[in-house]
Amino acid sequence: MMRTRMMMRTRTTTTTTTTTYRLIMLRHAASSWATEPGASPAATVRDVDRPLTPEGRTMAQKLAAVVRGDGRFAPDVTLCSNSARSRETLELMSRENAAFMDSSAVYLGSLYHFASLDGQMATHLRELVTATTVGDGANDIRTILCVGHNKGMEEATSELCGRDVQLQVATAALLEKTYACDINDENCAEQSSWRGVMACNEKWTLVALATPDGVLNA
């Protein structure tokens, strides 16, 4: 009798997890001038204190209404410049769209300061996002809204996605990165985290631009 030898192969199971991270880069809505035409010098306000114009307030409300129901534009955390026009933009959008109200907001003078410096906003945002996404609940953060000013917001958005992006007032650029890794890989947790995402040189994908007139998918 011939004996047949059976060769048994061990099957390795790979468990892959996919995570999508989103950055919403929003320029504040239209604001007043530091000194309105015809006003006395005494009426001059500091640049950081300039409020939105009536048109700007309408723009902020329309933008919030346009993205209502679009989960991609629902932030978990908001990093907002401490300027009056940025805060007012976010406040009006929160009244119009509960998704912005539900986001945990942090107001930062650095987002106002770095916006005026050549080519430094992207690096500053990487540092801010990394510092913000640590501690309890950090693993649940998938979408971060950044509210600020040109020229910094425009420069940072263009640098992060490798495309020339123009941010008009009340315009939001939606950037995405998707990571897939094996959860059995000891490096997976670090790679698939905000720290790993912001440290990676791979460009973000420009997914959409939202304006008061609608959402344009890129």
Side-chain angles (χ1 to χ4, degrees):
M1 179 181 297
M2 297 183 63
R3 179 177 297 177
T4 302
R5 179 175 296 177
M6 303 295 293
M7 303 297 293
M8 302 297 292
R9 294 184 179 181
T10 301
R11 179 176 297 177
T12 302
T13 301
T14 300
T15 305
T16 302
T17 180
T18 301
T19 306
T20 297
Y21 294 87
R22 296 185 178 95
L23 281 177
I24 306 168
M25 305 290 283
L26 170 63
R27 183 183 175 189
H28 63 78
S31 59
S32 65
W33 296 102
T35 302
E36 293 295 334
S40 68
T44 299
V45 297
R46 296 186 308 162
D47 182 77
V48 72
D49 294 328
R50 287 164 48 200
L52 298 183
T53 62
E55 179 187 9
R57 290 192 286 273
T58 299
M59 293 169 71
Q61 293 169 327
K62 284 185 175 181
L63 176 61
V66 160
V67 299
R68 187 189 295 117
D70 188 334
R72 300 176 302 172
F73 287 92
D76 300 306
V77 171
T78 297
L79 305 178
C80 182
S81 163
N82 70 342
S83 72
R85 54 194 182 274
S86 298
R87 295 174 69 103
E88 191 176 359
T89 297
L90 181 58
E91 179 182 347
L92 289 166
M93 292 181 67
S94 297
R95 292 179 187 174
E96 185 69 30
N97 185 335
F100 295 101
M101 183 180 295
D102 294 339
S103 171
S104 175
V106 181
Y107 299 93
L108 300 157
S110 63
L111 286 177
Y112 173 80
H113 170 73
F114 277 91
S116 63
L117 304 180
D118 290 334
Q120 296 192 35
M121 180 60 88
T123 297
H124 181 58
L125 276 178
R126 290 186 182 100
E127 295 170 350
L128 275 182
V129 168
T130 299
T132 302
T133 52
V134 295
D136 294 341
N139 290 336
D140 297 327
I141 299 173
R142 292 292 178 265
T143 303
I144 296 179
L145 167 64
C146 301
V147 186
H149 314 258
N150 274 359
K151 57 187 172 183
M153 292 298 286
E154 209 169 63
E155 286 183 347
T157 302
S158 298
E159 180 178 334
L160 289 171
C161 71
R163 297 175 58 176
D164 183 18
V165 180
Q166 296 185 0
L167 290 180
Q168 304 298 324
V169 287
T171 297
L174 177 63
L175 307 181
E176 285 188 356
K177 267 189 184 182
T178 298
Y179 276 87
C181 65
D182 180 2
I183 61 174
N184 297 315
D185 183 349
E186 62 182 10
N187 296 318
C188 178
E190 176 65 19
Q191 294 171 355
S192 185
S193 68
W194 277 104
R195 178 181 294 276
V197 168
M198 299 310 290
C200 178
N201 291 325
E202 179 185 344
K203 294 298 184 183
W204 291 73
T205 299
L206 175 64
V207 176
L209 285 172
T211 75
D213 296 323
V215 177
L216 176 65
N217 291 315

